[in-house]
Amino acid sequence: MNNILVTGGAGFIGSHTCLQLMNEGLNVCIIDSLINSSEKIINQIKLINEKEGIKKGKLFFRHGDLRNNDFINNVFLEFKRKKLPFDSVIHFAGLKAVEESIFNPLGYWEVNIISTINLLITMDKFDCNKLVFSSSATIYDPSKKIKYDEESPKRPINPYGNTKLTIEIFLQDLFLSSQNKWKIINLRYFNPVGAHPSGLIGENPKCTPTNLFPILLKVANGKKKELSIYGNDWPTKDGTCIRDYIHVMDLADAHIAALEFLNKASPQAKAINIGTGKGTSVLEIIKRFNKINSVNLPFKFVNRRKGDSAIVIADNKLALELLNWVPKRNIDDICLDSFKWSKYSL
Ligand code: NAD
Ligand code: UD1
């Protein structure tokens, strides 16, 4: 049985991915500093696993920070001695709030870059050479396109995006340095949203949220008066921005598919978009959310937000071809599952 190290596995995307990994019969070790999550999530993962009778793979949790090289080294050593050496790593850990990164570039560069370098040094030392890295559509030039394929021009417009592009470049250098060794996939996520259908895990950021769904869910639960929609004068069918929202369970499945691909692939470093290939406007989201959950979200239009683009959609052909993966959930599933989670968590 394979053993997978999941950094940042207590976070939003990581927790859902861990469940799917265990479902596949893989043993999972989470490393997380809990800077943007809590240990409760580990228990929730175990709870869902037991409730659904999955129980195939084992779950381990090691609390610590990837900036600490000795800590990572000790975890790799411990699992090697247990005869459960890590076969692959999924690297979610990092800071991800765009606005925060503009005010605190030092913190973002320190956490995202140093953590990744430490991780790769230790992987190299322990001959663990398969990596799936959480990259982002935020690395693309936002002014260039509507639909982005992997070759679209790159031009991040904030420190967070700069760290993601830098890590992709670093991983490419690493692969080129020893071309028969590393198997690396950078998954470029578009807009991950939704929650586990049980409603027991979902997105729960510790800092004040700025993304659409965490705010919308606050409004739906009466914790915020109304949703401010950033502009109704965009060149789209209803004047509001269009994004490619992908259910977090589909995203989790994409990680399993990426690991399966790497298991069979020759050494390489490749970037793959993960999105649905379909766009939904903010007003359409509100409409579907109201309908499926029988609510009536109050909203108002305000000025456009700096840094927004009218339309951002993934060209996901490469993912469909190479990973043999297709997104299975739609916007209604996203609205239903995220509302269920929010009623439990907010
Ligand atoms: P998250 O904040 O919920 O999860 C990240 C986890 O990493 C958290 O549990 C946090 O405590 C942990 N962490 C942070 N720094 C750490 C460190 N130095 N050592 C150990 N653990 C650390 O974020 P998420 O939404 O699950 O995103 C996961 C990854 O995907 C991130 O790298 C993010 O940049 C990337 N991503 C996310 C989105 C999105 O919209 N959620 C979009 C594109 C890319
Ligand atoms: C944002 C980031 C992007 C990052 C992604 C995932 C910006 C400009 N972009 O993308 O770099 O990769 O999150 O973390 O911050 N909206 C409202 N009202 C709100 C919140 C959002 O109308 O209160 C709209 C936005 O204008 C946008 C859509 O909802 O059109 C989605 O917003 P959001 O969830 O923040 O994602 P992105 O802007 O796509």
Side-chain angles (χ1 to χ4, degrees):
M1 186 182 285
N2 287 344
N3 308 302
I4 317 292
L5 176 67
V6 181
T7 76
F12 171 42
I13 306 168
S15 54
H16 295 79
T17 305
C18 287
L19 262 175
Q20 298 303 73
L21 289 167
M22 290 160 75
N23 201 6
E24 289 295 313
L26 301 163
N27 293 325
V28 173
C29 174
I30 293 177
I31 283 185
D32 203 301
S33 67
L34 304 180
I35 189 168
N36 198 34
S37 52
S38 77
E39 196 157 352
K40 192 179 157 200
I41 300 298
I42 309 293
N43 295 330
Q44 297 295 87
I45 298 173
K46 287 184 183 156
L47 185 70
I48 300 172
N49 191 263
E50 276 163 26
K51 266 190 167 181
E52 296 192 347
I54 304 170
K55 281 189 196 158
K56 289 183 194 158
K58 285 198 188 108
L59 180 67
F60 303 89
F61 171 54
R62 297 294 175 265
H63 182 196
D65 196 307
L66 290 177
R67 284 172 295 174
N68 179 346
N69 226 337
D70 290 342
F71 163 69
I72 313 178
N73 195 70
N74 288 340
V75 176
F76 270 80
L77 196 59
E78 179 198 341
F79 280 79
K80 188 179 172 184
R81 286 191 178 139
K82 275 187 204 290
K83 305 262 182 284
L84 297 171
F86 301 130
D87 171 72
S88 314
V89 176
I90 306 182
H91 179 34
F92 292 106
L95 301 179
K96 63 155 186 177
V98 170
E99 260 189 22
E100 195 181 60
S101 78
I102 296 167
F103 298 110
N104 182 18
L106 200 54
Y108 270 66
W109 279 89
E110 194 214 349
V111 171
N112 291 359
I113 304 297
I114 294 179
S115 296
T116 306
I117 293 174
N118 284 348
L119 176 67
L120 270 294
I121 288 173
T122 314
M123 286 176 67
D124 195 25
K125 186 171 157 190
F126 285 83
D127 289 322
C128 172
N129 301 117
K130 275 181 273 176
L131 174 76
V132 179
F133 168 63
S134 296
S135 189
S136 169
T138 198
I139 69 170
Y140 293 120
D141 183 341
S143 64
K144 286 288 184 235
K145 292 231 177 173
I146 288 173
K147 210 160 192 177
Y148 294 80
D149 67 25
E150 288 77 2
E151 301 312 315
S152 298
K154 320 291 179 296
R155 186 178 64 88
I157 57 167
N158 51 62
Y160 164 68
N162 285 332
T163 65
K164 288 289 172 192
L165 183 56
T166 302
I167 292 169
E168 282 206 18
I169 294 167
F170 159 59
L171 294 174
Q172 182 68 23
D173 283 349
L174 203 61
F175 161 68
L176 290 174
S177 70
S178 177
Q179 294 192 23
N180 58 356
K181 187 162 160 186
W182 293 95
K183 296 183 178 187
I184 297 170
I185 288 194
N186 303 307
L187 293 182
R188 295 181 185 152
Y189 316 149
F190 278 65
N191 287 65
V193 286
H196 190 269
S198 65
L200 292 173
I201 54 171
E203 185 171 16
N204 202 2
K206 279 189 179 167
C207 60
T208 313
T210 56
N211 293 120
L212 179 65
F213 264 82
I215 296 175
L216 181 152
L217 293 170
K218 280 192 168 197
V219 177
N221 285 282
K223 309 267 174 198
K224 193 172 162 58
K225 198 169 123 233
E226 58 194 354
L227 176 72
S228 296
I229 299 182
Y230 298 134
N232 60 351
D233 56 352
W234 293 95
T236 60
K237 53 197 165 187
D238 61 21
T240 66
C241 289
I242 292 179
R243 294 288 180 274
D244 186 336
Y245 297 96
I246 175 149
H247 195 296
V248 66
M249 293 302 291
D250 280 328
L251 187 51
D253 289 341
H255 290 79
I256 313 292
L259 283 183
E260 279 169 7
F261 172 80
L262 286 184
N263 280 338
K264 292 184 211 133
S266 52
Q268 56 189 289
K270 196 172 225 37
I272 303 183
N273 284 343
I274 301 293
T276 64
K278 295 185 199 108
T280 311
S281 75
V282 180
L283 278 177
E284 283 170 332
I285 293 279
I286 294 176
K287 208 166 141 194
R288 292 314 309 162
F289 193 94
N290 285 343
K291 177 112 189 351
I292 200 95
N293 293 311
S294 305
V295 295
N296 193 9
L297 289 173
F299 66 85
K300 64 176 178 190
F301 293 111
V302 298
N303 289 338
R304 290 179 176 193
R305 176 173 68 175
K306 194 168 169 261
D308 269 346
S309 315
I311 306 176
V312 180
I313 299 174
D315 179 330
N316 64 1
K317 277 193 216 85
L318 200 59
L320 305 184
E321 269 171 34
L322 286 186
L323 302 185
N324 195 20
W325 161 90
V326 270
K328 295 184 197 128
R329 290 94 177 163
N330 60 24
I331 293 291
D332 285 0
D333 299 316
I334 287 170
C335 293
L336 198 68
D337 296 338
S338 59
F339 190 44
K340 193 169 181 188
W341 153 246
S342 73
K343 284 191 277 189
Y344 170 82
S345 64
L346 287 178

